[in-house]
Amino acid sequence: MKINLNNSPDEFVQNAIKSGITRGYVVLTGQTPQISNQELADIYNYISNSPDYQGHEGIFWEVDAPTKSLYVAAIHRTNRGAGQGGTRMKHYQTLGALFTDAIRLAKGMTDKNACANLWWGGGKSVIHSNQNPRELQGTERETVFTNFGRFIASLNGAYVCAEDMNTTPEDMRVIHANNRFCTCIPQEIGGSSNPSIFTARGVFMGLVAGVHHLAGKDDKTNIDLSDQHVLVQGAGNVGWSLMEQVVNAGGRVTVFDINENTKQKIRDTFTTEQVTIQEDLNTFYQTEADIFAPCAIGAIINDETIPLLNVKMIAGAANNQLKDAVAHAEALHAKGILYLPDFIINRMGIVNCANEQYGYLLDTIEEKILEVYDFTLQLLDRAKSNDTSPEFMAMQIAEQLSRVDHPIWGHRGMQLIKQLVKDDWGN
Ligand code: NAD
């Protein structure tokens, strides 16, 4: 089967259906990764040579012939428990970009879940839709999520879903109707629904910890941002709430968003003293301010943007903000910009899901939001005394914690993956 990772996933979907090889995996249960079928060697070569491949325990995929979708579940590390992370739906430009996104995000979830002390490993799933995901509605959408739910069921609990980009609690309801490995389901069926508001509150407390660290303070009950100017990129579910909290604490916001309706809503809601809209992206990056809060897309801290930035600190919600986690963390440290690791301060979404898994208790969520402040402050202090970047420090903590086995179930995710291989999953 001819596979070109630089071509559209739609081409791969067609070829897979034609050849009858609609499922596959790359797993690492021993010394070297193995592929389900030699016909898929091009995917094996791409994944195993990717700089984002960090010994992922299992990457499983399925082409769904009825909907012409491609489903991927990437499981990075499962010592602490099942690989858990959101289900993202997107129309990817290339097959390579799709696999890269899945494996990068899965590793990020390992770090996030471990540092939040959750008994979950790291995973992420993506659905490549053959059309714009926002236009996919009605029974067509339901079929995509029904069949995706069955794909996840076939992984036997090695991975657990949550809501993510372009997916909703209603989509989670459909997935959950087809397996029991799904969170962020609607509240009326025992779920916790959309976690964004909690994510935003956690990001805000992390941001406040950063401000206090720079000011030599430690008092989470005293939040005054009246001398702070914050650049917010993306005023969606999380970015909007973050803007509100900054404004309520007396701070000033400059925002950049690509959506015209969002910009109109900003004009209707805030005064120009509270929130200014910047239309030009380069001018936005160069704006002199205290804090930059990326709340739209990942990999936007890179070789092109770092020289433009004129802030003291970066604290935002987007996942994987650093294009290169090592080089760009070092570049920011060298430039004197304090970078608050995304996986430390945007953890509240997944913490909310974990809370749902064990029976939802809002009071404990409030405690966890305050913990983001404490954890961030301690991390920044440790990084400062070691003269290293908070990202480097956080990665070390994550590496250590993510290798701790679940106290009751041990490294069960790996056992599940081994069993899937033994059972000849996909053939
Ligand atoms: P969202 O889709 O609700 O909002 C994204 C916003 O960014 C939209 O207003 C959109 O118009 C804007 N946008 C998109 N591309 C842009 C660009 N290139 N430049 C500027 N603006 C752009 O998403 P969200 O739920 O608010 O999540 C924001 C980010 O935080 C995402 O990266 C997401 O993965 C991450 N995150 C979200 C949660 C959560 O609970 N929602 C949890 C953890 C991480």
Side-chain angles (χ1 to χ4, degrees):
M1 181 175 157
K2 184 85 200 104
I3 302 169
N4 188 335
L5 277 292
N6 293 319
N7 287 356
S8 162
D10 295 329
E11 181 187 287
F12 173 68
V13 167
Q14 279 167 13
N15 289 342
I17 294 170
K18 237 185 270 166
S19 66
I21 307 172
T22 53
R23 278 181 167 190
Y25 61 70
V26 174
V27 298
L28 182 62
T29 56
Q31 293 298 312
T32 48
Q34 67 184 98
I35 182 92
S36 52
N37 183 328
Q38 280 312 314
E39 292 273 321
L40 301 165
D42 292 324
I43 297 182
Y44 174 84
N45 291 333
Y46 181 87
I47 290 177
S48 55
N49 291 317
S50 164
D52 293 304
Y53 180 71
Q54 303 283 327
H56 289 60
E57 292 176 2
I59 299 144
F60 296 84
W61 63 90
E62 177 174 314
V63 166
D64 184 49
T67 63
K68 309 275 190 298
S69 312
L70 173 57
Y71 307 140
V72 178
I75 301 162
H76 175 242
R77 187 174 292 159
T78 60
N79 298 71
R80 296 185 71 89
Q84 155 68 292
T87 300
R88 169 167 294 198
M89 181 154 65
K90 201 170 156 177
H91 180 83
Y92 287 89
Q93 294 304 309
T94 69
L95 186 61
L98 181 154
F99 278 112
T100 299
D101 213 22
I103 62 177
R104 254 176 88 86
L105 290 161
K107 160 75 167 70
M109 290 311 300
T110 294
D111 298 337
K112 193 186 305 194
N113 292 340
C115 287
N117 260 314
L118 301 177
W119 289 112
W120 265 341
K124 198 87 183 181
S125 56
V126 297
I127 299 176
H128 168 79
S129 155
N130 72 349
Q131 56 177 292
N132 180 341
R134 286 171 199 246
E135 285 163 16
L136 181 67
Q137 296 301 336
T139 50
E140 254 187 299
R141 189 175 181 100
E142 193 166 335
T143 307
V144 167
F145 283 95
T146 298
N147 295 349
F148 174 78
R150 291 176 186 155
F151 162 66
I152 296 300
S154 76
L155 301 178
N156 223 1
Y159 165 74
V160 177
C161 308
E163 189 196 1
D164 199 75
M165 183 191 285
N166 294 327
T167 59
T168 67
E170 280 310 309
D171 298 328
M172 297 304 116
R173 183 203 293 273
V174 178
I175 296 172
H176 185 253
N178 291 282
N179 65 52
R180 58 184 195 81
F181 310 115
C182 187
T183 58
C184 300
I185 57 177
Q187 281 166 345
E188 71 269 19
I189 55 168
S192 64
S193 199
N194 185 329
S196 303
I197 200 79
F198 300 107
T199 303
R201 289 184 56 202
V203 171
F204 180 73
M205 287 312 291
L207 179 152
V208 169
V211 172
H212 286 184
H213 168 80
L214 290 177
K217 285 202 293 197
D218 177 1
D219 182 1
K220 53 182 170 283
T221 60
N222 178 6
I223 300 178
D224 175 8
L225 299 184
S226 54
D227 57 349
Q228 298 292 309
H229 178 193
V230 185
L231 307 179
V232 176
Q233 182 177 39
N237 283 322
V238 181
W240 185 278
S241 167
L242 184 65
M243 283 198 311
E244 284 180 330
Q245 293 174 84
V246 170
V247 167
N248 288 341
R252 190 160 63 89
V253 172
T254 296
V255 62
F256 177 86
D257 198 292
I258 50 171
N259 186 305
E260 286 307 321
N261 293 335
T262 303
K263 287 192 261 186
Q264 192 51 50
K265 194 173 147 204
I266 292 169
R267 288 186 203 100
D268 294 342
T269 310
F270 300 99
T271 67
T272 48
E273 282 75 38
Q274 292 172 324
V275 179
T276 312
I277 299 172
Q278 176 51 255
E279 299 284 353
D280 179 71
L281 184 57
N282 262 356
T283 313
F284 173 77
Y285 284 134
Q286 291 174 49
T287 306
E288 188 179 349
D290 298 286
I291 303 162
F292 172 34
C295 297
I297 48 170
I300 52 96
I301 314 274
N302 51 47
D303 290 343
E304 286 73 46
T305 55
I306 292 173
L308 303 179
L309 295 176
N310 202 357
V311 291
K312 297 182 196 125
M313 183 172 106
I314 299 174
N319 286 315
N320 296 348
Q321 291 163 30
L322 301 172
K323 190 164 183 193
D324 181 322
V326 177
H328 295 132
E330 275 172 19
L332 290 172
H333 186 58
K335 199 175 166 177
I337 298 178
L338 188 68
Y339 176 73
L340 273 51
D342 46 44
F343 62 92
I344 299 297
I345 65 170
N346 76 4
R347 61 164 75 165
M348 279 312 300
I350 205 71
V351 171
N352 203 52
C353 295
N355 200 293
E356 162 181 343
Q357 187 87 338
Y358 295 102
Y360 197 71
L361 281 175
L362 185 59
D363 283 355
T364 60
I365 287 291
E366 295 295 336
E367 287 164 18
K368 296 286 172 197
I369 291 171
L370 296 178
E371 278 176 23
V372 177
Y373 177 96
D374 297 326
F375 192 102
T376 306
L377 206 58
Q378 281 164 20
L379 175 75
L380 298 179
D381 289 344
R382 265 177 82 177
K384 190 177 173 188
S385 48
N386 284 282
D387 189 21
T388 187
S389 69
E391 175 81 7
F392 179 75
M393 203 84 240
M395 286 293 215
Q396 284 193 328
I397 297 170
E399 179 61 22
Q400 208 181 5
L401 289 176
S402 67
R403 290 192 185 275
V404 175
D405 285 348
H406 190 288
I408 297 168
W409 299 107
H411 195 170
R412 192 177 175 94
M414 179 59 93
Q415 281 178 277
L416 290 168
I417 291 171
K418 282 183 178 164
Q419 190 62 45
L420 292 171
V421 172
K422 213 164 139 195
D423 294 345
D424 206 15
W425 186 94
N427 288 318

